[in-house]
Amino acid sequence: MKRRTKSNLKTCFFIILLFSLIISAGILVNIFLNNTSKSLLNSIYVIQFNIEYNNWDISYIEIVKLKEEWKTIERVWSALIHHDEIDKISENLELLTEYIKEKDKTNSLSHLSVLKKYIEHIPEMDKLCIENIF
Amino acid sequence: MIVFVRTIILYIFVTLAMRLMGKRQIGELQPFELVVALMLSELATLPMQDTAIPLIHGIIPILTLMSLEILISFLTLKIEFLRKVFCGTPDILIKHGKVSEEELRRQRFNLDDLIEELRMSGYLDISDIEYAILETSGKLSIIPKAEKSPVTKEDLNLRPQATKLPVSIILDGVLNKKNLAITGHDLNWLMENLRSKGINDIKDVFIAMIDSKGNLFIQRRDRDEEENKK
């Protein structure tokens, strides 16, 4: 009888531990996605400001920095989100670099806006809310 | 290559999950267990084929389903009400040789299916059945009328010897000392018995076991027999 109670307690403990781990991992992933996307968005705002004021050299330096930052973040994001989302961001980042290099203001700003949307969408997608559940 | 590695990881993961969920998963499934088994297979194959899906998107749902399955089976073990909700209750389709029309209709179980199940169990007439119970696992348990049930040793006043658990002592030339101790014999006893069969080395034995009647069964390796013939 004592052995059975011990086994039942072990099962309960295992389930509680597993659920706690899954929930904590989910929360940590959400925090990580929020922080990293904020960091990327900050760089994008800086680039947007510089493009609006035609500071192309600074914009180019910033986009190169952003690409470096993206390389590091991309590795971790690949394990957490669908790879299509990552491919979309990478593709837009490449296009944006070329437009900045060519000093094409219209295309640069439009791609910057799309990139912003894609990055903002990532933590939104993982957020626990009614819209995401249904 | 990625698909190959992912398949190995997911295979090990699903096998472990099924193992943790218990033996019933591969035998008689309750409705909630069937749901988990179906979902598990689908969840594992999606990230296996599509490398764009992170592996974690397959692992987290599998872990969650496994936990839910263990939790529900634990709760249904303890709480009768939950057992009724998740497993349902058995239904009597035939009572005292009479088919219950209402139960058949309620279970959407047609007469052809019922008669087929009876035939498969070796009963041709409904009138031979005392009870036919539709179990929660979907199987039909049939209890024949007393006069139609098979004769047992008890009916014939026979007193058979109690069946003992067979214990293997040597398997493929390897002695299992633990099992030998369980049988209550020692190595000298075993060697004496082997020598009486003309075997001098344990390695020459293919199987040696104490059978359900308590007798020692010995089978020599084929290779040695062939060598002896030569």
Side-chain angles (χ1 to χ4, degrees):
Chain A
M1 192 68 188
K2 251 184 186 175
R3 192 185 284 176
R4 201 186 297 166
T5 320
K6 210 173 164 186
S7 158
N8 286 344
L9 277 173
K10 231 164 84 179
T11 314
C12 277
F13 177 73
F14 172 71
I15 298 295
I16 292 166
L17 186 78
L18 203 62
F19 271 149
S20 323
L21 278 174
I22 293 172
I23 293 165
S24 343
I27 294 168
L28 284 175
V29 163
N30 198 259
I31 293 170
F32 174 77
L33 289 177
N34 252 318
N35 289 345
T36 41
S37 60
K38 259 183 204 161
S39 161
L40 290 172
L41 284 170
N42 282 340
S43 305
I44 288 171
Y45 290 133
V46 172
I47 297 167
Q48 192 179 15
F49 176 82
N50 281 302
I51 293 172
E52 276 165 4
Y53 286 91
N54 291 318
N55 296 328
W56 294 105
D57 291 338
I58 301 170
S59 302
Y60 187 72
I61 293 166
E62 286 299 324
I63 193 86
V64 171
K65 270 194 217 166
L66 179 66
K67 274 171 86 177
E68 284 299 313
E69 192 185 356
W70 171 240
K71 258 187 198 168
T72 337
I73 292 171
E74 189 190 5
R75 272 189 221 128
V76 191
W77 276 21
S78 310
L80 305 170
I81 57 170
H82 201 285
H83 297 187
D84 283 354
E85 303 283 339
I86 292 167
D87 291 343
K88 275 195 260 178
I89 295 171
S90 298
E91 196 186 306
N92 251 282
L93 210 52
E94 284 304 320
L95 284 170
L96 185 62
T97 315
E98 287 308 308
Y99 286 129
I100 290 173
K101 217 162 140 186
E102 296 302 318
K103 297 175 183 166
D104 183 337
K105 196 170 180 176
T106 323
N107 274 318
S108 296
L109 286 174
S110 59
H111 273 88
L112 205 65
S113 172
V114 174
L115 190 65
K116 218 158 59 182
K117 270 273 161 238
Y118 283 155
I119 293 171
E120 274 168 355
H121 174 63
I122 301 296
E124 285 295 320
M125 204 171 63
D126 202 55
K127 212 161 85 180
L128 185 69
C129 58
I130 298 291
E131 300 94 81
N132 281 347
I133 291 171
F134 294 99
Chain B
M1 190 65 188
I2 294 164
V3 177
F4 173 71
V5 177
R6 278 171 162 242
T7 308
I8 294 172
I9 295 170
L10 284 163
Y11 170 75
I12 295 169
F13 205 74
V14 174
T15 311
L16 281 175
M18 293 293 266
R19 175 74 190 82
L20 278 168
M21 277 189 269
K23 290 193 173 73
R24 282 201 311 176
Q25 270 297 321
I26 43 177
E28 299 294 306
L29 295 174
Q30 290 295 338
F32 72 96
E33 291 167 331
L34 180 72
V35 170
V36 171
L38 290 174
M39 281 179 157
L40 270 190
S41 57
E42 190 68 25
L43 276 172
T45 48
L46 281 177
M48 210 183 267
Q49 293 169 328
D50 190 354
T51 48
I53 301 172
L55 206 58
I56 204 89
H57 284 197
I59 289 172
I60 294 285
I62 291 172
L63 270 179
T64 312
L65 278 178
M66 186 195 78
S67 315
L68 279 177
E69 206 278 337
I70 297 173
L71 190 73
I72 290 173
S73 49
F74 177 73
L75 289 175
T76 50
L77 194 78
K78 296 273 165 201
I79 307 162
E80 204 190 332
F81 168 72
L82 287 179
R83 194 153 57 231
K84 278 183 186 166
V85 172
F86 285 105
C87 306
T89 46
D91 293 289
I92 300 172
L93 300 185
I94 300 176
K95 196 176 180 182
H96 307 308
K98 195 172 177 283
V99 181
S100 165
E101 278 184 59
E102 199 193 322
E103 276 305 320
L104 278 186
R105 212 172 296 128
R106 214 168 63 84
Q107 296 299 327
R108 293 180 295 279
F109 203 90
N110 65 48
L111 267 171
D112 290 334
D113 287 342
L114 180 68
I115 294 165
E116 189 184 315
E117 287 281 346
L118 295 182
R119 276 201 305 268
M120 280 186 345
S121 302
Y123 298 99
L124 301 175
D125 303 317
I126 291 173
S127 56
D128 292 347
I129 312 298
E130 187 69 45
Y131 289 105
I133 305 157
L134 187 63
E135 304 291 356
T136 52
S137 60
K139 286 218 163 188
L140 195 70
S141 298
I142 295 157
I143 301 161
K145 284 190 172 166
E147 60 270 24
K148 296 286 177 184
S149 58
V151 179
T152 63
K153 283 173 182 154
E154 198 184 359
D155 293 334
L156 300 170
N157 279 329
L158 291 174
R159 286 193 182 166
Q161 230 183 351
T163 307
K164 289 175 186 168
L165 189 72
V167 183
S168 58
I169 300 171
I170 302 170
L171 286 180
D172 211 6
V174 181
L175 172 71
N176 189 328
K177 286 180 185 165
K178 205 173 143 191
N179 282 359
L180 181 66
I182 289 169
T183 62
H185 298 293
D186 59 4
L187 198 60
N188 290 334
W189 170 86
L190 180 68
M191 289 313 292
E192 256 174 47
N193 277 287
L194 292 181
R195 268 184 228 116
S196 68
K197 300 262 179 190
I199 304 168
N200 292 317
D201 193 352
I202 286 174
K203 282 178 187 159
D204 297 339
V205 181
F206 185 56
I207 310 169
M209 65 188 294
I210 302 282
D211 65 16
S212 58
K213 290 177 194 102
N215 302 324
L216 179 66
F217 170 82
I218 300 169
Q219 187 182 323
R220 186 195 278 267
R221 273 173 188 260
D222 280 347
R223 197 178 54 204
D224 298 317
E225 275 181 2
E226 278 165 22
E227 277 170 13
N228 283 349
K229 276 177 197 170
K230 280 174 193 172

